[in-house]
């Protein structure tokens, strides 16, 4: 759990080693009875997903600042368990043993899907994190398709751009003629009935684990998740860029991406890094450079980013309060830059930062606990781009952003910078 979304777990700051309260001081004295049932969701405003100041001040007056410095996901990132005794939140037996001595063991309850273990069906699949996120959103009914936007009263054409039927998730990914043709021609071992598909969760494992036929060459991973990803990408391309592609194009794109990712895993061992040499960068990509300045005393941060497109450079500035570390400040800068790029309708984007730690977090499966909500939102936002990548650049190449960030910090701090 990452203080990420309105989540069903209780806040057991008193005895729970799995809670992401790494910077929260242990409360003193016994746990008040009325707060024993308190959940993270109770501290968030249900509409905005922002922290509820009044409630925090009432329940955790001494930890308010530490809680407010945790930046929860606003785009509905899944809850995630963090092990408090390591920096990246990943469990190790050594720290587990130490904690077991110190804490009593408490059973964790995951928030399950109705018919499906989301760990098995999504998170432990051998596929890219961006694909896992997409699958998770698909299963949760959280993809922003026409039907969902209609329910949210968002004024947008809710119909499928290909056939004119209401665009639901199952329509888009399986039932639409276009999707049907994609699945029909995808080289999978088992046929499955797409038109009759009613309960996606119930049929999920059979669909996702459907092995790929030789000679495609995807042996130790699955192709189906990448097909879903490619159908989604093709849909966005059609809506936002008027780009038309055939079912064959979708399948090719899925196979290429799947093989590229699997090859990278085999080369890099278990770490999910994308080797730079393997990425084919589209020639018209916009370059976005971000930077942040942070003041340890005030916990204020100034952020700056520039967007370089053919012939023009746009500069932006912003600020954030209650920022717990320079790394969080860098991540917030990146998040703002990603949001702005999406707003400007950019499609091919290269994001650069001089924070090696941030770039590493964005390119791997595991991020430091304090970045979870922000990095998850960045990944979700990046699903909108046709192409996006994150690269590290040396500090001297980032001087313009550095200046913007420091200037922004100066404004927010009333004149002091670090
Ligand atoms: Zn359709």
């Amino acid at each position: 759990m990452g203080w990420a979304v309105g989540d069903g777990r209780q806040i057991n700051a008193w005895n729970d080693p799995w809670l992401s309260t790494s910077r929260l001081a242990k409360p003193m004295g016994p746990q008040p009875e009325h707060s024993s049932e308190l959940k993270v969701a109770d501290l968030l405003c249900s509409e905005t997903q922002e922290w509820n100041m009044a409630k925090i001040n009432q329940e955790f007056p001494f930890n308010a600042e530490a809680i407010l410095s945790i930046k929860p996901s606003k785009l509905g990132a899944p809850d995630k368990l963090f092990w408090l005794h390591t920096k990246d939140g990943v469990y190790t037996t050594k720290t587990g043993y130490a904690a077991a001595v110190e804490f009593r063991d408490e059973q964790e309850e995951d928030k399950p899907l109705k018919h499906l273990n989301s760990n098995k069906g999504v998170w432990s699949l051998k596929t890219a994190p961006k694909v896992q996120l997409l699958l998770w959103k698909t299963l949760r009914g959280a993809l922003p398709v026409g039907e969902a936007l209609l329910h949210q009263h968002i004024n947008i054409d809710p119909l499928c751009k290909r056939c004119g039927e209401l665009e639901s998730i199952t329509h888009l990914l399986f039932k639409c003629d276009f999707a049907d043709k994609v699945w029909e021609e995808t080289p999978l071992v088992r046929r499955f009935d797409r038109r009759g598909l009613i309960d996606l969760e119930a049929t999920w494992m059979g669909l996702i684990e459907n092995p790929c036929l030789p000679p495609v060459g995807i042996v130790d991973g699955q192709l189906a998740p990448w097909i879903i990803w490619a159908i989604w990408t093709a849909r966005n391309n059609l809506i936002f860029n008027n780009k038309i592609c055939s079912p064959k194009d979708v399948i090719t794109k899925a196979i290429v991406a799947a093989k590229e990712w699997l090859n990278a895993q085999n080369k890099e061992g278990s770490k999910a890094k994308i080797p730079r040499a393997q990425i084919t960068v589209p020639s018209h990509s916009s370059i976005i450079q971000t930077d942040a300045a942070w003041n340890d005393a005030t916990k204020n941060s100034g952020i700056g980013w520039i967007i370089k497109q053919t012939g023009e450079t746009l500069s932006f500035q912003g600020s954030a309060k209650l920022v717990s570390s320079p790394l969080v400040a860098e991540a917030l800068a990146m998040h703002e830059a990603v949001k702005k790029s999406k707003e400007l309708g950019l499609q091919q984007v290269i994001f650069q930062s001089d924070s090696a730690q941030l770039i590493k977090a964005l390119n791997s499966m595991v991020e430091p606990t304090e970045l979870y909500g922000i990095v998850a939102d960045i990944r979700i936002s990046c699903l909108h781009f046709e192409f996006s990548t994150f690269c590290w650049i040396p500090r001297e190449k980032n001087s313009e952003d550095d200046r913007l960030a420091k200037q922004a910090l100066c404004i927010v701090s009333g004149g002091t910078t670090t």
Side-chain angles (χ1 to χ4, degrees):
M1 183 195 73
W3 296 90
V5 285
D7 135 332
R9 295 192 56 251
Q10 292 173 12
I11 299 174
N12 271 321
W14 277 260
N15 54 17
D16 191 345
W18 275 103
L19 197 66
S20 82
T21 48
S22 47
R23 286 177 312 284
L24 296 190
K26 277 267 163 196
M28 310 245 303
Q31 181 173 14
E33 201 183 336
H34 75 277
S35 68
S36 65
E37 294 294 315
L38 205 61
K39 298 180 172 68
V40 176
D42 298 328
L43 298 184
L44 292 166
C45 301
S46 55
E47 279 178 15
T48 58
Q49 292 295 304
E50 301 273 5
W51 292 116
N52 182 336
M53 291 284 286
K55 190 84 180 172
I56 289 171
N57 282 330
Q58 181 195 323
E59 299 291 345
F60 298 101
F62 302 111
N63 300 123
E65 200 170 304
I67 293 174
L68 293 172
S69 73
I70 299 170
K71 310 293 180 197
S73 164
K74 295 195 179 90
L75 299 177
D79 295 345
K80 189 173 169 182
L81 286 175
F82 288 109
W83 181 245
L84 287 187
H85 305 275
T86 51
K87 206 175 169 201
D88 58 9
V90 175
Y91 177 83
T92 63
T93 42
K94 194 177 158 195
T95 55
Y97 180 77
V101 174
E102 200 179 336
F103 297 102
R104 78 185 154 87
D105 215 5
E106 217 173 314
Q107 275 281 292
E108 273 309 308
E109 246 187 67
D110 195 7
K111 210 167 135 197
L113 290 160
K114 241 188 302 164
H115 307 291
L116 185 73
N117 174 343
S118 66
N119 206 27
K120 196 163 161 245
V122 179
W123 304 115
S124 56
L125 291 177
K126 202 171 175 192
T127 190
K130 66 175 177 188
V131 178
Q132 289 179 331
L133 251 175
L134 184 71
L135 297 182
W136 188 84
K137 288 181 87 89
T138 302
L139 274 168
R140 289 279 176 186
L143 281 185
V145 290
E147 187 187 46
L149 298 173
L150 187 69
H151 285 161
Q152 289 167 31
H153 307 290
I154 292 171
N155 190 16
I156 201 167
D157 176 14
L159 303 181
C160 173
K161 299 294 165 292
R162 299 188 199 272
C163 71
E165 276 190 41
L166 181 64
E167 190 194 50
S168 66
I169 291 177
T170 45
H171 175 85
L172 170 73
L173 298 176
F174 302 101
K175 296 185 177 182
C176 181
D177 269 350
F178 182 83
D180 190 61
K181 282 203 188 77
V182 172
W183 289 107
E184 185 62 36
E185 291 174 30
T186 299
L188 297 174
V189 170
R190 291 187 295 269
R191 309 263 100 203
F192 71 100
D193 177 20
R194 298 164 296 272
R195 300 304 180 105
L197 191 143
I198 297 167
D199 189 340
L200 186 56
E201 253 188 62
T203 44
W204 187 256
M205 289 318 290
L207 163 72
I208 289 299
E209 291 186 331
N210 198 342
C212 186
L213 283 169
V216 175
I218 296 171
V219 185
D220 58 346
Q222 300 92 3
L223 178 57
W226 290 94
I227 293 286
I228 291 175
W229 169 80
I231 293 176
W232 173 250
T233 315
R235 176 256 189 203
N236 289 341
N237 259 329
L238 178 65
I239 293 180
F240 302 117
N241 302 324
N242 283 323
K243 263 194 194 167
I244 298 167
C245 67
S246 69
K248 274 236 153 54
D249 296 335
V250 170
I251 298 167
T252 310
K253 189 169 177 179
I255 292 174
V256 169
K259 285 174 87 166
E260 217 170 70
W261 189 83
L262 286 165
N263 284 341
Q265 305 317 296
N266 293 340
K267 275 189 201 144
E268 296 283 326
S270 60
K271 282 196 175 170
K273 280 184 196 164
I274 302 161
R276 262 173 233 183
Q278 295 227 352
I279 298 174
T280 322
V281 178
S283 52
H284 300 299
S285 302
S286 308
I287 293 176
I288 295 102
Q289 296 178 338
T290 70
D291 203 4
W294 181 72
N295 186 316
D296 191 10
T298 61
K299 305 286 183 245
N300 286 335
S301 104
I303 56 183
W305 67 98
I306 54 174
I307 298 181
K308 294 182 187 174
Q309 301 179 83
T310 32
E312 61 171 344
T313 299
L314 307 167
S315 308
F316 300 90
Q317 276 178 332
S319 62
K321 294 191 170 182
L322 289 159
V323 177
S324 56
S325 73
L327 180 59
V328 172
E330 296 284 356
L332 288 171
M334 184 61 79
H335 188 204
E336 289 305 317
V338 168
K339 279 201 295 194
K340 179 56 81 179
S341 306
K342 209 173 117 185
E343 224 174 275
L344 292 173
L346 304 182
Q347 278 302 317
Q348 289 149 353
V349 280
I350 302 169
F351 294 103
Q352 301 179 330
S353 161
D354 61 19
S355 165
Q357 234 184 322
L358 174 66
I359 296 299
K360 193 177 158 207
L362 287 165
N363 285 333
S364 68
M365 309 264 272
V366 186
E367 58 281 317
T369 316
E370 60 178 347
L371 292 191
Y372 176 69
I374 311 169
V375 165
D377 281 357
I378 291 175
R379 288 195 184 126
I380 291 171
S381 297
C382 280
L383 291 171
H384 288 261
F385 301 120
E386 192 181 306
F387 172 86
S388 63
T389 186
F390 298 96
C391 315
W392 176 81
I393 47 164
R395 195 164 183 81
E396 56 272 20
K397 290 204 174 168
N398 219 15
S399 53
E400 172 61 11
D401 308 284
D402 189 41
R403 190 188 62 74
L404 286 169
K406 284 199 171 128
Q407 198 183 55
L409 180 60
C410 212
I411 295 164
V412 69
S413 302
T416 48
T417 58
T418 49

